[in-house]
PDB file of all heavy atoms in Angstrom:
ATOM      1  N   ALA A  26      -9.164 -48.739 -33.857  1.00 98.00           N
ATOM      2  CA  ALA A  26      -8.048 -49.651 -34.111  1.00 98.00           C
ATOM      3  C   ALA A  26      -7.059 -49.103 -35.160  1.00 98.00           C
ATOM      4  O   ALA A  26      -6.089 -49.773 -35.494  1.00 98.00           O
ATOM      5  CB  ALA A  26      -8.577 -51.004 -34.584  1.00 98.00           C
ATOM      6  N   GLY A  27      -7.339 -47.910 -35.662  1.00 98.00           N
ATOM      7  CA  GLY A  27      -6.365 -47.238 -36.541  1.00 98.00           C
ATOM      8  C   GLY A  27      -6.602 -47.419 -38.007  1.00 98.00           C
ATOM      9  O   GLY A  27      -5.734 -47.044 -38.840  1.00 98.00           O
ATOM     10  N   ALA A  28      -7.755 -47.948 -38.396  1.00 98.00           N
ATOM     11  CA  ALA A  28      -8.025 -48.159 -39.817  1.00 98.00           C
ATOM     12  C   ALA A  28      -8.877 -46.994 -40.380  1.00 98.00           C
ATOM     13  O   ALA A  28      -9.392 -46.185 -39.634  1.00 98.00           O
ATOM     14  CB  ALA A  28      -8.784 -49.479 -40.033  1.00 98.00           C
ATOM     15  N   GLU A  29      -8.957 -46.955 -41.703  1.00 98.00           N
ATOM     16  CA  GLU A  29      -9.825 -45.996 -42.375  1.00 98.00           C
ATOM     17  C   GLU A  29     -11.007 -46.781 -42.952  1.00 98.00           C
ATOM     18  O   GLU A  29     -10.863 -47.497 -43.942  1.00 98.00           O
ATOM     19  CB  GLU A  29      -9.066 -45.294 -43.520  1.00 98.00           C
ATOM     20  CG  GLU A  29      -9.898 -44.326 -44.300  1.00 98.00           C
ATOM     21  CD  GLU A  29      -9.186 -43.839 -45.572  1.00 98.00           C
ATOM     22  OE1 GLU A  29      -7.974 -43.932 -45.669  1.00 98.00           O
ATOM     23  OE2 GLU A  29      -9.910 -43.403 -46.477  1.00 98.00           O
ATOM     24  N   PRO A  30     -12.194 -46.675 -42.328  1.00 98.00           N
ATOM     25  CA  PRO A  30     -13.315 -47.456 -42.810  1.00 98.00           C
ATOM     26  C   PRO A  30     -13.890 -46.867 -44.093  1.00 98.00           C
ATOM     27  O   PRO A  30     -13.842 -45.645 -44.319  1.00 98.00           O
ATOM     28  CB  PRO A  30     -14.350 -47.329 -41.687  1.00 98.00           C
ATOM     29  CG  PRO A  30     -13.667 -46.629 -40.567  1.00 98.00           C
ATOM     30  CD  PRO A  30     -12.514 -45.888 -41.139  1.00 98.00           C
ATOM     31  N   ALA A  31     -14.437 -47.734 -44.942  1.00 98.00           N
ATOM     32  CA  ALA A  31     -15.110 -47.307 -46.154  1.00 98.00           C
ATOM     33  C   ALA A  31     -16.423 -48.062 -46.273  1.00 98.00           C
ATOM     34  O   ALA A  31     -16.424 -49.317 -46.286  1.00 98.00           O
ATOM     35  CB  ALA A  31     -14.217 -47.608 -47.383  1.00 98.00           C
ATOM     36  N   LEU A  32     -17.528 -47.373 -46.302  1.00 98.00           N
ATOM     37  CA  LEU A  32     -18.834 -48.028 -46.369  1.00 98.00           C
ATOM     38  C   LEU A  32     -19.028 -48.579 -47.796  1.00 98.00           C
ATOM     39  O   LEU A  32     -18.782 -47.908 -48.766  1.00 98.00           O
ATOM     40  CB  LEU A  32     -19.954 -47.069 -46.017  1.00 98.00           C
ATOM     41  CG  LEU A  32     -19.977 -46.592 -44.565  1.00 98.00           C
ATOM     42  CD1 LEU A  32     -21.067 -45.554 -44.357  1.00 98.00           C
ATOM     43  CD2 LEU A  32     -20.152 -47.747 -43.608  1.00 98.00           C
ATOM     44  N   LEU A  33     -19.508 -49.811 -47.872  1.00 98.00           N
ATOM     45  CA  LEU A  33     -19.747 -50.505 -49.152  1.00 98.00           C
ATOM     46  C   LEU A  33     -21.238 -50.827 -49.240  1.00 98.00           C
ATOM     47  O   LEU A  33     -21.740 -51.671 -48.499  1.00 98.00           O
ATOM     48  CB  LEU A  33     -18.934 -51.773 -49.258  1.00 98.00           C
ATOM     49  CG  LEU A  33     -17.393 -51.632 -49.140  1.00 98.00           C
ATOM     50  CD1 LEU A  33     -16.746 -53.009 -49.091  1.00 98.00           C
ATOM     51  CD2 LEU A  33     -16.824 -50.806 -50.288  1.00 98.00           C
ATOM     52  N   TRP A  34     -21.959 -50.155 -50.101  1.00 98.00           N
ATOM     53  CA  TRP A  34     -23.380 -50.362 -50.282  1.00 98.00           C
ATOM     54  C   TRP A  34     -23.680 -51.688 -50.912  1.00 98.00           C
ATOM     55  O   TRP A  34     -22.919 -52.158 -51.767  1.00 98.00           O
ATOM     56  CB  TRP A  34     -23.940 -49.193 -51.125  1.00 98.00           C
ATOM     57  CG  TRP A  34     -25.430 -49.135 -51.285  1.00 98.00           C
ATOM     58  CD1 TRP A  34     -26.090 -49.085 -52.456  1.00 98.00           C
ATOM     59  CD2 TRP A  34     -26.420 -49.048 -50.249  1.00 98.00           C
ATOM     60  NE1 TRP A  34     -27.453 -48.981 -52.205  1.00 98.00           N
ATOM     61  CE2 TRP A  34     -27.683 -48.976 -50.869  1.00 98.00           C
ATOM     62  CE3 TRP A  34     -26.349 -49.063 -48.849  1.00 98.00           C
ATOM     63  CZ2 TRP A  34     -28.865 -48.895 -50.165  1.00 98.00           C
ATOM     64  CZ3 TRP A  34     -27.548 -48.998 -48.121  1.00 98.00           C
ATOM     65  CH2 TRP A  34     -28.792 -48.908 -48.776  1.00 98.00           C
ATOM     66  N   HIS A  35     -24.761 -52.324 -50.534  1.00 97.00           N
ATOM     67  CA  HIS A  35     -25.063 -53.677 -50.975  1.00 97.00           C
ATOM     68  C   HIS A  35     -25.213 -53.860 -52.482  1.00 97.00           C
ATOM     69  O   HIS A  35     -25.086 -54.964 -53.007  1.00 97.00           O
ATOM     70  CB  HIS A  35     -26.327 -54.199 -50.267  1.00 97.00           C
ATOM     71  CG  HIS A  35     -27.585 -53.484 -50.691  1.00 97.00           C
ATOM     72  ND1 HIS A  35     -28.570 -54.079 -51.395  1.00 97.00           N
ATOM     73  CD2 HIS A  35     -27.991 -52.188 -50.507  1.00 97.00           C
ATOM     74  CE1 HIS A  35     -29.533 -53.209 -51.632  1.00 97.00           C
ATOM     75  NE2 HIS A  35     -29.217 -52.068 -51.082  1.00 97.00           N
ATOM     76  N   GLU A  36     -25.495 -52.779 -53.166  1.00 96.00           N
ATOM     77  CA  GLU A  36     -25.674 -52.872 -54.624  1.00 96.00           C
ATOM     78  C   GLU A  36     -24.343 -52.760 -55.378  1.00 96.00           C
ATOM     79  O   GLU A  36     -24.305 -52.919 -56.601  1.00 96.00           O
ATOM     80  CB  GLU A  36     -26.628 -51.804 -55.115  1.00 96.00           C
ATOM     81  CG  GLU A  36     -28.088 -52.057 -54.644  1.00 96.00           C
ATOM     82  CD  GLU A  36     -29.017 -50.947 -55.079  1.00 96.00           C
ATOM     83  OE1 GLU A  36     -28.585 -49.760 -55.073  1.00 96.00           O
ATOM     84  OE2 GLU A  36     -30.177 -51.230 -55.390  1.00 96.00           O
ATOM     85  N   GLN A  37     -23.268 -52.465 -54.664  1.00 96.00           N
ATOM     86  CA  GLN A  37     -21.966 -52.319 -55.320  1.00 96.00           C
ATOM     87  C   GLN A  37     -21.507 -53.662 -55.867  1.00 96.00           C
ATOM     88  O   GLN A  37     -21.698 -54.701 -55.239  1.00 96.00           O
ATOM     89  CB  GLN A  37     -20.920 -51.792 -54.348  1.00 96.00           C
ATOM     90  CG  GLN A  37     -21.091 -50.340 -54.012  1.00 96.00           C
ATOM     91  CD  GLN A  37     -19.906 -49.787 -53.208  1.00 96.00           C
ATOM     92  OE1 GLN A  37     -20.114 -48.962 -52.331  1.00 96.00           O
ATOM     93  NE2 GLN A  37     -18.703 -50.193 -53.495  1.00 96.00           N
ATOM     94  N   VAL A  38     -20.828 -53.596 -57.034  1.00 97.00           N
ATOM     95  CA  VAL A  38     -20.287 -54.822 -57.606  1.00 97.00           C
ATOM     96  C   VAL A  38     -18.787 -54.908 -57.395  1.00 97.00           C
ATOM     97  O   VAL A  38     -18.168 -55.918 -57.724  1.00 97.00           O
ATOM     98  CB  VAL A  38     -20.605 -54.938 -59.117  1.00 97.00           C
ATOM     99  CG1 VAL A  38     -22.109 -55.058 -59.332  1.00 97.00           C
ATOM    100  CG2 VAL A  38     -20.051 -53.747 -59.871  1.00 97.00           C
ATOM    101  N   SER A  39     -18.192 -53.841 -56.840  1.00 96.00           N
ATOM    102  CA  SER A  39     -16.772 -53.918 -56.510  1.00 96.00           C
ATOM    103  C   SER A  39     -16.525 -53.444 -55.102  1.00 96.00           C
ATOM    104  O   SER A  39     -17.394 -52.823 -54.487  1.00 96.00           O
ATOM    105  CB  SER A  39     -15.989 -53.012 -57.483  1.00 96.00           C
ATOM    106  OG  SER A  39     -15.825 -51.724 -56.933  1.00 96.00           O
ATOM    107  N   LEU A  40     -15.355 -53.816 -54.573  1.00 97.00           N
ATOM    108  CA  LEU A  40     -15.048 -53.484 -53.195  1.00 97.00           C
ATOM    109  C   LEU A  40     -14.192 -52.224 -53.067  1.00 97.00           C
ATOM    110  O   LEU A  40     -13.656 -51.956 -51.988  1.00 97.00           O
ATOM    111  CB  LEU A  40     -14.315 -54.681 -52.552  1.00 97.00           C
ATOM    112  CG  LEU A  40     -15.059 -56.002 -52.506  1.00 97.00           C
ATOM    113  CD1 LEU A  40     -14.226 -57.059 -51.824  1.00 97.00           C
ATOM    114  CD2 LEU A  40     -16.397 -55.837 -51.795  1.00 97.00           C
ATOM    115  N   ASP A  41     -14.071 -51.492 -54.143  1.00 93.00           N
ATOM    116  CA  ASP A  41     -13.371 -50.199 -54.122  1.00 93.00           C
ATOM    117  C   ASP A  41     -11.929 -50.324 -53.630  1.00 93.00           C
ATOM    118  O   ASP A  41     -11.383 -49.368 -53.015  1.00 93.00           O
ATOM    119  CB  ASP A  41     -14.124 -49.177 -53.242  1.00 93.00           C
ATOM    120  CG  ASP A  41     -15.446 -48.763 -53.848  1.00 93.00           C
ATOM    121  OD1 ASP A  41     -15.659 -49.063 -55.052  1.00 93.00           O
ATOM    122  OD2 ASP A  41     -16.287 -48.157 -53.132  1.00 93.00           O
TER     123      ASP A  41
END
Side-chain angles (χ1 to χ4, degrees):
Chain A
E29 179 190 338
L32 293 176
L33 301 174
W34 187 235
H35 66 112
E36 291 177 323
Q37 286 189 218
V38 296
S39 92
L40 300 181
D41 292 346

